[in-house]
Amino acid sequence: MQTAALMTAISALTFALAPAALSKEDEMKKKLKTDIPSYDNLDLDSDDISLDNYGEIIDLSNYEDIYDYEDLASKIEVDTLPPPTRGFPQPFSTTAVPTEAPPTKPPSSTALQTKGPGLFGLITNQGLPTCLVCVCIRTSVYCDDTDLEHIPPLPLETVYFYARFNRIHRIQASDFTGLTKLKRIDLTNNFISWVDEDSLRLLPSLQELTLPENKLTSLPELPSGIIQLDARFNMIQSSGIRSEAFQDLKKLQFLYLADNKLDYIPVPLPEGLRSLHLQNNNIQTMHEDVFCNSRDHSYIRRALEDIRLDGNPINLSLFPDAYFCLPRLPTGHFY
């Protein structure tokens, strides 16, 4: 009963004070409204900045006092520059400076042909080490497409030599002197028309000789250890091949003489020959003993499995006794 009476009294007091609080809030809003000036009453014309009144509106006399830049920026002390780094020319230049003066006169012909140890052989008419003009990787020397006009002096350790797509006209007797380890020579696509005697015959390790696309009219004497001879696309005639030139080449397995001017098959051929390419020549006839032994019909030549005679004016069907001992018939025209 007492609690209900207390709640009734509090409610009555709240309703009595509410109008007073509202009236006080309205007075504060009116006061704020009167204190804030409206834009209509602002005098903006007096603050227009022009060249005439710039100094009156903005006072620059104390501008430096407001912002003291000396306190914000750290001091930079200027001292003498350090000495230039050793090795650069003075003044500094991007132009390359030679490390040594060029020779006043070219080396003598004797010095050019001397093959020093390692990679110090000089190349004719340029006075540069061979391996500076060519690329030397261990025992291989690559001189492809370097405008060579002759064989450069090679390191004595050379095993594989490549000088393709150059302007070499001749192989001289002294070009490969002392190269006892040389196994492969590739002179594809040059202008070689002459090979001196003994320039290749005395190379004890030579196994592959590649001379296609040159101007040869004859074949040089070859070393006994030769395994592959490639002389395609030359002008070799039958008269340019010595009699029995291949008979003693017991290790010869691949003989490529296509696209030349041969009139007949060079005989006798070594017993170990496996591939003979003579296509696109001028061969018109064939001897019955060119491949087989006409006196021994039991003889079989098992190694020679690849013979190309296509592109020649020869009718292979006219010479059946010439290849009865072969495991495969030659490639060519049978009509």
Side-chain angles (χ1 to χ4, degrees):
M1 192 72 178
Q2 291 180 356
T3 302
L6 181 59
M7 294 297 295
T8 304
I10 291 174
S11 299
L13 181 60
T14 301
F15 282 111
L17 294 176
L22 291 173
S23 61
K24 188 174 182 179
E25 184 179 355
D26 294 339
E27 290 179 0
M28 292 179 65
K29 289 182 179 180
K30 291 180 180 180
K31 186 176 180 180
L32 289 174
K33 185 175 182 180
T34 56
D35 292 342
I36 298 174
S38 63
Y39 286 105
D40 297 337
N41 298 328
L42 292 177
D43 185 11
L44 298 177
D45 295 337
S46 61
D47 293 336
D48 289 343
I49 299 176
S50 64
L51 294 176
D52 297 332
N53 61 1
Y54 186 83
E56 298 175 0
I57 295 175
I58 300 177
D59 185 8
L60 300 176
S61 61
N62 62 348
Y63 192 73
E64 295 181 356
D65 297 336
I66 297 175
Y67 297 95
D68 188 2
Y69 290 100
E70 294 182 358
D71 296 336
L72 298 177
S74 60
K75 294 182 180 180
I76 301 175
E77 296 182 0
V78 180
D79 200 355
T80 57
L81 296 175
T85 305
R86 294 181 63 184
F88 290 97
Q90 291 291 336
F92 180 77
S93 173
T94 58
T95 305
V97 178
T99 56
E100 59 183 5
T104 56
K105 59 181 180 178
S108 63
S109 59
T110 303
L112 290 175
Q113 296 179 1
T114 301
K115 297 177 175 63
L119 306 178
F120 295 101
L122 296 180
I123 188 168
T124 310
N125 297 332
Q126 296 190 27
L128 296 173
T130 299
C131 292
L132 189 62
V133 177
C134 307
V135 176
C136 298
I137 303 177
R138 301 186 67 179
T139 58
S140 299
V141 180
Y142 299 89
C143 300
D144 295 342
D145 199 12
T146 52
D147 292 331
L148 293 177
E149 295 182 356
H150 49 266
I151 306 295
L154 298 173
L156 294 178
E157 299 298 319
T158 302
V159 177
Y160 305 102
F161 173 55
Y162 303 87
R164 298 165 291 195
F165 311 104
N166 284 288
R167 302 176 182 178
I168 301 172
H169 288 79
R170 181 173 182 171
I171 298 177
Q172 301 183 34
S174 60
D175 285 340
F176 300 112
T177 301
L179 299 178
T180 57
K181 299 180 180 180
L182 190 59
K183 292 183 178 180
R184 180 184 300 167
I185 299 174
D186 192 341
L187 296 170
T188 301
N189 202 332
N190 278 271
F191 298 91
I192 300 173
S193 59
W194 182 257
V195 180
D196 286 358
E197 290 292 333
D198 297 335
S199 58
L200 301 172
R201 183 179 64 86
L202 300 179
L203 295 177
S205 300
L206 187 62
Q207 297 178 358
E208 298 181 25
L209 178 60
T210 307
L211 297 169
E213 300 181 68
N214 279 279
K215 299 182 180 299
L216 291 171
T217 57
S218 62
L219 283 178
E221 189 173 356
L222 301 172
S224 59
I226 194 74
I227 295 176
Q228 176 175 308
L229 172 63
D230 186 351
R232 296 168 296 139
F233 295 99
N234 277 275
M235 297 181 291
I236 301 173
Q237 301 177 5
S238 294
S239 59
I241 300 178
R242 297 184 316 278
S243 177
E244 302 181 351
F246 304 113
Q247 183 176 11
D248 295 331
L249 302 181
K250 305 300 183 180
K251 296 183 179 181
L252 183 63
Q253 299 182 26
F254 306 94
L255 180 57
Y256 303 134
L257 296 174
D259 295 276
N260 278 281
K261 297 183 177 181
L262 299 178
D263 298 321
Y264 53 84
I265 299 173
V267 290
L269 296 171
E271 189 67 25
L273 192 64
R274 298 172 54 187
S275 181
L276 176 64
H277 287 190
L278 298 172
Q279 64 268 34
N280 301 322
N281 277 278
N282 191 36
I283 299 174
Q284 302 181 27
T285 187
M286 183 186 305
H287 193 274
E288 60 180 3
D289 288 334
V290 63
F291 301 122
C292 304
N293 187 350
S294 60
R295 294 180 299 274
D296 184 4
H297 289 274
S298 63
Y299 168 75
I300 299 177
R301 190 172 192 140
R302 301 184 184 278
L304 190 54
E305 296 185 349
D306 178 24
I307 301 176
R308 293 281 306 273
L309 290 170
D310 47 306
N312 284 277
I314 183 174
N315 184 356
L316 295 178
S317 62
L318 300 178
F319 309 95
D321 295 335
Y323 36 80
F324 70 87
C325 64
L326 299 177
R328 289 183 176 85
L329 292 176
T331 301
H333 299 291
F334 292 85
Y335 57 85

Coordinates of all heavy atoms in Angstrom, one line a residue, residues 227 246 249-257 265-279 286-293 299-309 322-331:
I227 N 87.4 -43.0 -91.1 CA 86.2 -43.8 -91.0 C 85.1 -43.3 -91.9 O 84.3 -44.0 -92.5 CB 85.7 -43.9 -89.5 CG1 86.7 -44.6 -88.7 CG2 84.3 -44.6 -89.4 CD1 86.3 -44.7 -87.2
F246 N 91.1 -46.0 -102.2 CA 90.4 -46.5 -101.0 C 90.7 -47.9 -100.6 O 90.2 -48.4 -99.6 CB 88.9 -46.4 -101.3 CG 88.4 -45.0 -101.7 CD1 87.9 -44.8 -103.0 CD2 88.5 -44.0 -100.8 CE1 87.4 -43.6 -103.4 CE2 88.0 -42.7 -101.2 CZ 87.5 -42.5 -102.5
L249 N 92.3 -48.3 -97.1 CA 91.6 -47.6 -96.0 C 90.7 -48.7 -95.3 O 89.4 -48.7 -95.5 CB 90.8 -46.4 -96.5 CG 91.6 -45.4 -97.3 CD1 90.7 -44.2 -97.7 CD2 92.7 -44.8 -96.4
K250 N 91.3 -49.5 -94.5 CA 90.5 -50.7 -94.0 C 89.4 -50.2 -93.0 O 88.5 -51.0 -92.8 CB 91.5 -51.6 -93.2 CG 92.7 -52.0 -94.1 CD 92.3 -52.8 -95.3 CE 93.5 -53.3 -96.1 NZ 93.0 -54.1 -97.3
K251 N 89.5 -49.1 -92.4 CA 88.5 -48.6 -91.5 C 87.4 -47.8 -92.1 O 86.5 -47.3 -91.4 CB 89.2 -47.8 -90.3 CG 90.2 -48.7 -89.5 CD 90.8 -47.8 -88.4 CE 91.7 -48.7 -87.5 NZ 92.3 -47.9 -86.4
L252 N 87.5 -47.5 -93.4 CA 86.5 -46.6 -94.0 C 85.1 -47.3 -94.1 O 85.0 -48.4 -94.6 CB 87.0 -46.3 -95.4 CG 86.0 -45.3 -96.2 CD1 85.9 -44.0 -95.5 CD2 86.5 -45.2 -97.7
Q253 N 84.1 -46.7 -93.5 CA 82.8 -47.2 -93.5 C 81.7 -46.4 -94.2 O 80.8 -46.9 -94.7 CB 82.3 -47.4 -92.0 CG 83.2 -48.3 -91.2 CD 82.6 -48.5 -89.8 OE1 81.5 -48.3 -89.5 NE2 83.5 -48.8 -88.8
F254 N 82.0 -45.1 -94.3 CA 81.0 -44.2 -94.9 C 81.7 -43.3 -96.0 O 82.6 -42.5 -95.6 CB 80.3 -43.3 -93.9 CG 79.7 -44.1 -92.7 CD1 80.4 -44.3 -91.6 CD2 78.4 -44.6 -92.9 CE1 79.9 -45.0 -90.5 CE2 77.9 -45.4 -91.8 CZ 78.6 -45.6 -90.7
L255 N 81.3 -43.5 -97.2 CA 81.9 -42.7 -98.3 C 80.8 -42.0 -99.1 O 79.9 -42.6 -99.7 CB 82.6 -43.7 -99.3 CG 83.3 -43.1 -100.5 CD1 84.3 -42.0 -100.1 CD2 84.0 -44.1 -101.3
Y256 N 80.8 -40.7 -99.0 CA 79.7 -39.9 -99.6 C 80.3 -39.0 -100.6 O 81.0 -38.0 -100.3 CB 79.0 -39.0 -98.5 CG 78.4 -39.8 -97.3 CD1 78.6 -39.4 -96.0 CD2 77.7 -41.0 -97.6 CE1 78.1 -40.2 -95.0 CE2 77.1 -41.7 -96.6 CZ 77.3 -41.3 -95.3 OH 76.8 -42.1 -94.2
L257 N 80.0 -39.3 -101.9 CA 80.5 -38.6 -103.0 C 79.4 -38.1 -104.0 O 79.6 -38.0 -105.2 CB 81.6 -39.4 -103.8 CG 82.9 -39.8 -103.0 CD1 83.7 -40.7 -103.9 CD2 83.6 -38.5 -102.7
I265 N 82.3 -45.8 -110.8 CA 82.4 -46.1 -109.3 C 83.9 -46.4 -109.0 O 84.5 -47.2 -109.7 CB 81.6 -47.3 -108.9 CG1 80.1 -47.0 -109.2 CG2 81.8 -47.7 -107.4 CD1 79.2 -48.2 -109.0
P266 N 84.5 -45.6 -108.0 CA 85.9 -45.8 -107.7 C 86.1 -47.2 -107.1 O 85.5 -47.5 -106.1 CB 86.2 -44.7 -106.8 CG 84.9 -44.3 -106.1 CD 83.8 -44.6 -107.2
V267 N 87.0 -48.0 -107.7 CA 87.3 -49.3 -107.2 C 88.8 -49.5 -107.0 O 89.6 -48.7 -107.6 CB 86.8 -50.4 -108.2 CG1 85.2 -50.4 -108.1 CG2 87.3 -50.2 -109.6
P268 N 89.2 -50.4 -106.2 CA 88.4 -51.3 -105.3 C 87.9 -50.6 -104.0 O 88.6 -49.7 -103.6 CB 89.3 -52.5 -105.0 CG 90.7 -51.8 -105.1 CD 90.6 -50.7 -106.1
L269 N 86.8 -51.1 -103.5 CA 86.3 -50.5 -102.3 C 86.7 -51.3 -101.1 O 86.8 -52.6 -101.2 CB 84.7 -50.4 -102.4 CG 84.2 -49.5 -103.5 CD1 82.7 -49.7 -103.6 CD2 84.5 -48.0 -103.2
P270 N 86.9 -50.7 -100.0 CA 87.4 -51.5 -98.8 C 86.3 -52.4 -98.3 O 85.1 -52.2 -98.5 CB 87.7 -50.4 -97.7 CG 86.9 -49.2 -98.2 CD 86.9 -49.3 -99.7
E271 N 86.7 -53.5 -97.7 CA 85.8 -54.6 -97.3 C 84.8 -54.1 -96.2 O 83.7 -54.6 -96.2 CB 86.6 -55.8 -96.8 CG 85.8 -57.0 -96.6 CD 85.2 -57.6 -97.9 OE1 85.8 -57.4 -99.0 OE2 84.2 -58.3 -97.8
G272 N 85.2 -53.2 -95.4 CA 84.4 -52.8 -94.3 C 83.4 -51.7 -94.6 O 82.7 -51.2 -93.7
L273 N 83.3 -51.3 -95.9 CA 82.5 -50.2 -96.3 C 81.0 -50.5 -96.0 O 80.5 -51.6 -96.5 CB 82.7 -49.8 -97.8 CG 82.1 -48.5 -98.2 CD1 82.7 -47.3 -97.5 CD2 82.2 -48.4 -99.7
R274 N 80.3 -49.7 -95.4 CA 78.9 -49.9 -95.1 C 77.9 -49.0 -95.9 O 76.8 -49.4 -96.2 CB 78.6 -49.6 -93.6 CG 79.4 -50.5 -92.7 CD 79.3 -50.1 -91.2 NE 77.9 -49.9 -90.8 CZ 77.5 -49.4 -89.7 NH1 78.4 -49.0 -88.8 NH2 76.2 -49.4 -89.4
S275 N 78.3 -47.8 -96.3 CA 77.4 -46.9 -97.0 C 78.2 -46.2 -98.1 O 79.3 -45.6 -97.8 CB 76.9 -45.9 -96.0 OG 76.0 -45.0 -96.6
L276 N 77.6 -46.2 -99.3 CA 78.2 -45.6 -100.5 C 77.2 -44.8 -101.2 O 76.2 -45.3 -101.8 CB 78.8 -46.7 -101.4 CG 79.4 -46.2 -102.7 CD1 80.6 -45.3 -102.5 CD2 79.7 -47.4 -103.7
H277 N 77.4 -43.5 -101.2 CA 76.4 -42.5 -101.8 C 77.1 -41.9 -103.0 O 78.1 -41.1 -102.9 CB 76.0 -41.5 -100.8 CG 75.1 -42.0 -99.8 ND1 74.4 -41.1 -98.9 CD2 74.7 -43.2 -99.5 CE1 73.6 -41.8 -98.1 NE2 73.8 -43.1 -98.4
L278 N 76.6 -42.3 -104.2 CA 77.1 -41.7 -105.5 C 76.0 -41.2 -106.3 O 76.2 -41.1 -107.6 CB 77.8 -42.9 -106.3 CG 79.0 -43.5 -105.6 CD1 79.5 -44.7 -106.3 CD2 80.2 -42.5 -105.4
Q279 N 74.9 -40.8 -105.8 CA 73.8 -40.3 -106.5 C 74.1 -38.9 -107.2 O 75.0 -38.2 -106.7 CB 72.5 -40.1 -105.7 CG 72.6 -39.1 -104.6 CD 73.0 -39.7 -103.3 OE1 73.9 -40.7 -103.3 NE2 72.5 -39.3 -102.2
M286 N 78.9 -50.2 -115.2 CA 79.4 -50.8 -113.9 C 80.1 -52.1 -114.2 O 79.6 -52.9 -115.0 CB 78.2 -51.0 -113.0 CG 78.5 -51.6 -111.7 SD 77.1 -52.0 -110.7 CE 76.2 -50.5 -110.7
H287 N 81.2 -52.3 -113.6 CA 82.0 -53.6 -113.8 C 81.4 -54.6 -112.9 O 80.9 -54.3 -111.8 CB 83.4 -53.4 -113.5 CG 84.3 -54.5 -114.0 ND1 84.6 -55.6 -113.2 CD2 85.0 -54.7 -115.1 CE1 85.3 -56.4 -113.8 NE2 85.6 -55.9 -115.0
E288 N 81.4 -55.9 -113.3 CA 80.8 -56.9 -112.5 C 81.5 -57.2 -111.2 O 80.9 -57.8 -110.3 CB 80.7 -58.2 -113.4 CG 82.0 -58.8 -113.8 CD 81.9 -60.0 -114.6 OE1 80.8 -60.4 -114.9 OE2 83.0 -60.6 -115.0
D289 N 82.7 -56.8 -111.1 CA 83.5 -57.0 -109.9 C 83.5 -55.8 -109.0 O 84.4 -55.7 -108.1 CB 84.9 -57.5 -110.2 CG 85.0 -58.9 -110.8 OD1 84.1 -59.7 -110.4 OD2 85.9 -59.2 -111.5
V290 N 82.7 -54.8 -109.3 CA 82.8 -53.6 -108.5 C 82.4 -53.8 -107.1 O 83.0 -53.2 -106.2 CB 81.9 -52.5 -109.2 CG1 80.4 -52.9 -109.1 CG2 82.1 -51.2 -108.5
F291 N 81.4 -54.7 -106.8 CA 81.0 -55.0 -105.4 C 81.3 -56.5 -105.1 O 81.6 -56.8 -103.9 CB 79.5 -54.8 -105.3 CG 79.1 -53.3 -105.5 CD1 78.2 -53.1 -106.5 CD2 79.7 -52.3 -104.8 CE1 77.8 -51.8 -106.7 CE2 79.3 -51.0 -105.1 CZ 78.3 -50.7 -106.0
C292 N 81.2 -57.4 -106.0 CA 81.2 -58.8 -105.8 C 82.5 -59.4 -106.4 O 83.3 -58.7 -107.1 CB 80.0 -59.5 -106.3 SG 78.4 -58.8 -105.6
N293 N 82.6 -60.7 -106.2 CA 83.7 -61.4 -106.8 C 83.1 -62.4 -107.8 O 82.5 -63.4 -107.4 CB 84.5 -62.2 -105.7 CG 85.8 -62.9 -106.3 OD1 86.0 -62.9 -107.5 ND2 86.6 -63.4 -105.4
Y299 N 80.7 -65.9 -102.2 CA 81.1 -64.7 -101.5 C 79.9 -63.8 -101.2 O 79.1 -63.5 -102.1 CB 82.2 -63.9 -102.3 CG 82.5 -62.5 -101.7 CD1 83.2 -62.4 -100.5 CD2 82.0 -61.4 -102.4 CE1 83.5 -61.1 -100.0 CE2 82.3 -60.1 -101.9 CZ 83.0 -60.0 -100.7 OH 83.3 -58.8 -100.2
I300 N 79.7 -63.3 -100.0 CA 78.6 -62.4 -99.6 C 79.3 -61.2 -98.9 O 80.0 -61.3 -98.0 CB 77.6 -63.0 -98.7 CG1 77.0 -64.2 -99.4 CG2 76.6 -62.0 -98.2 CD1 76.0 -65.0 -98.5
R301 N 78.9 -60.0 -99.4 CA 79.4 -58.8 -98.8 C 78.4 -58.2 -97.9 O 77.5 -57.5 -98.3 CB 79.7 -57.8 -100.0 CG 80.5 -56.5 -99.5 CD 80.9 -55.7 -100.6 NE 81.9 -54.7 -100.2 CZ 82.9 -54.3 -100.9 NH1 83.2 -54.9 -102.1 NH2 83.7 -53.4 -100.5
R302 N 78.5 -58.6 -96.6 CA 77.4 -58.3 -95.7 C 77.4 -56.9 -95.2 O 76.4 -56.3 -94.9 CB 77.6 -59.3 -94.5 CG 77.5 -60.7 -94.8 CD 77.5 -61.6 -93.6 NE 77.5 -63.0 -94.0 CZ 76.4 -63.7 -94.3 NH1 75.3 -63.1 -94.2 NH2 76.5 -65.0 -94.6
A303 N 78.6 -56.2 -95.1 CA 78.6 -54.9 -94.5 C 78.0 -53.8 -95.4 O 77.3 -52.9 -94.9 CB 80.1 -54.5 -94.3
L304 N 78.1 -53.9 -96.7 CA 77.6 -52.9 -97.6 C 76.1 -53.0 -97.8 O 75.7 -53.7 -98.7 CB 78.4 -52.9 -99.0 CG 78.2 -51.8 -99.9 CD1 78.5 -50.4 -99.2 CD2 79.0 -52.0 -101.2
E305 N 75.4 -52.3 -97.1 CA 73.9 -52.3 -97.1 C 73.2 -51.1 -97.7 O 72.0 -51.1 -97.9 CB 73.3 -52.6 -95.7 CG 73.8 -53.9 -95.1 CD 73.1 -54.1 -93.8 OE1 72.5 -53.2 -93.2 OE2 73.2 -55.3 -93.3
D306 N 74.0 -50.0 -97.9 CA 73.4 -48.8 -98.4 C 74.2 -48.2 -99.6 O 75.3 -47.7 -99.4 CB 73.5 -47.8 -97.2 CG 72.9 -46.4 -97.6 OD1 72.1 -46.3 -98.6 OD2 73.3 -45.4 -97.0
I307 N 73.6 -48.4 -100.8 CA 74.3 -47.9 -102.0 C 73.3 -47.1 -102.7 O 72.2 -47.5 -103.1 CB 74.7 -49.1 -103.0 CG1 75.7 -50.0 -102.2 CG2 75.3 -48.6 -104.2 CD1 76.1 -51.2 -103.0
R308 N 73.7 -45.8 -103.0 CA 72.8 -44.9 -103.7 C 73.4 -44.5 -105.1 O 74.5 -44.0 -105.2 CB 72.7 -43.5 -102.9 CG 72.0 -43.7 -101.6 CD 70.5 -43.7 -101.8 NE 70.0 -42.6 -102.6 CZ 69.6 -41.4 -102.0 NH1 69.7 -41.2 -100.7 NH2 69.2 -40.4 -102.7
L309 N 72.7 -45.0 -106.1 CA 73.1 -44.7 -107.5 C 72.0 -43.9 -108.3 O 72.1 -43.8 -109.5 CB 73.4 -46.0 -108.2 CG 74.7 -46.6 -107.8 CD1 74.9 -48.0 -108.4 CD2 75.9 -45.8 -108.1
A322 N 76.6 -57.7 -110.9 CA 77.5 -56.8 -110.2 C 77.1 -56.7 -108.7 O 77.9 -56.3 -107.9 CB 77.4 -55.4 -110.8
Y323 N 75.9 -57.2 -108.3 CA 75.5 -57.0 -106.9 C 74.7 -58.2 -106.4 O 73.9 -58.1 -105.5 CB 74.6 -55.7 -106.8 CG 73.7 -55.4 -108.0 CD1 72.5 -56.0 -108.1 CD2 74.1 -54.4 -108.9 CE1 71.7 -55.7 -109.2 CE2 73.3 -54.1 -110.0 CZ 72.1 -54.8 -110.1 OH 71.3 -54.5 -111.2
F324 N 75.0 -59.3 -106.9 CA 74.3 -60.6 -106.4 C 74.8 -60.9 -105.0 O 74.1 -61.6 -104.3 CB 74.6 -61.7 -107.4 CG 76.0 -62.2 -107.4 CD1 76.4 -63.2 -106.5 CD2 76.9 -61.7 -108.3 CE1 77.7 -63.6 -106.5 CE2 78.2 -62.2 -108.3 CZ 78.6 -63.2 -107.4
C325 N 76.0 -60.4 -104.6 CA 76.5 -60.7 -103.3 C 76.1 -59.8 -102.2 O 76.4 -59.9 -101.0 CB 78.0 -60.7 -103.4 SG 78.8 -59.1 -103.7
L326 N 75.3 -58.7 -102.6 CA 74.9 -57.7 -101.6 C 73.7 -58.1 -100.9 O 72.8 -58.7 -101.4 CB 74.7 -56.4 -102.4 CG 75.9 -55.8 -103.1 CD1 75.5 -54.5 -103.8 CD2 77.0 -55.5 -102.2
P327 N 73.5 -57.7 -99.6 CA 72.3 -58.0 -98.9 C 71.1 -57.2 -99.4 O 70.0 -57.6 -99.1 CB 72.7 -57.6 -97.4 CG 73.8 -56.6 -97.5 CD 74.6 -57.0 -98.8
R328 N 71.4 -56.0 -100.0 CA 70.3 -55.2 -100.6 C 70.7 -54.7 -102.0 O 71.9 -54.4 -102.2 CB 70.0 -54.0 -99.6 CG 69.3 -54.4 -98.4 CD 69.0 -53.2 -97.5 NE 68.2 -53.5 -96.3 CZ 68.8 -53.9 -95.2 NH1 70.1 -54.0 -95.1 NH2 68.1 -54.2 -94.1
L329 N 69.7 -54.5 -102.8 CA 69.9 -53.9 -104.1 C 70.3 -52.4 -104.0 O 69.8 -51.8 -103.1 CB 68.7 -54.1 -105.0 CG 68.4 -55.5 -105.4 CD1 67.1 -55.5 -106.2 CD2 69.5 -56.2 -106.2
P330 N 71.1 -51.9 -104.9 CA 71.4 -50.5 -104.9 C 70.1 -49.7 -105.2 O 69.2 -50.2 -105.9 CB 72.4 -50.3 -106.0 CG 73.0 -51.7 -106.2 CD 71.9 -52.7 -105.9
T331 N 70.1 -48.5 -104.8 CA 69.0 -47.6 -105.1 C 69.3 -46.9 -106.4 O 70.4 -46.3 -106.6 CB 68.8 -46.5 -104.0 OG1 68.6 -47.2 -102.7 CG2 67.7 -45.6 -104.3

